Amino acid sequence: MDDATSFRLDGPVATACLGGPVPGLALRVVDEAGRECAARRTGAVQLRGATLFDGYDGATDHRGVWFDTGDLGSVRSGLLHLSGRRDDRISVNGVNVFATDVEQAVAAVADVAECVVLPYGASFAVVAVARRGRRIDAAGIAARVTADFAVAPLAVLDVAHSAVVRTAGGKPARGHMADRLERTDDGRFVLRTDRTPPASIDGPAPSQPNTDATEAG
């Protein structure tokens, strides 16, 4: 963990190298206080230059003012490495974890076909879909997440593939699913499903079958 920025710097964090900026475009990575990060330090990716205009936010001319992309990344040897989106970040007791990082770590477990991390209050739950003919080891997944990210999920839910609601682009609709994550009076977590999928920027999602609520202790 980078004490200056509170961004996670180690562990199973996947990055994608996008190369360097095109001519006429300036790039920087800043911490949460707006200070430029040292090389290899993770922070918010910002751009400025001749290819950016006020159409990005409707008001600001980003040829002279830094544009915050919403991405998180680091600069290594002049090349930009992306690690995720800032709105994927979940803060648990002062420790920042990224939903996509947890999803990748859990999806690497042999019996898991897919994973979706759902924020809940100041923490999160892990929703896992088992591979055909396999079963989810909820306790083992919780232990792995705790070991890898230094925070424990509130619950690990074993759900059917049909319980994962998707956008028209095929991505899990994390926000829509999080709205249906509930905690019962006895402390169990329930993921409720319905027949009304969310709309998205690329159109309404395909219909989802109605299923019973999925529970986790």
Side-chain angles (χ1 to χ4, degrees), residues 161-183:
H161 180 75
S162 59
V164 179
V165 182
R166 301 182 186 280
T167 67
K171 296 180 180 179
R174 187 183 293 130
H176 178 83
M177 294 174 65
D179 289 342
R180 281 147 181 76
L181 182 64
E182 301 176 3
R183 194 167 196 168

Side-chain angles (χ1 to χ4, degrees), residues 90-96 122-123 150-152:
I90 302 170
S91 182
V92 185
N93 296 325
V95 176
N96 289 323
S123 190
V151 294

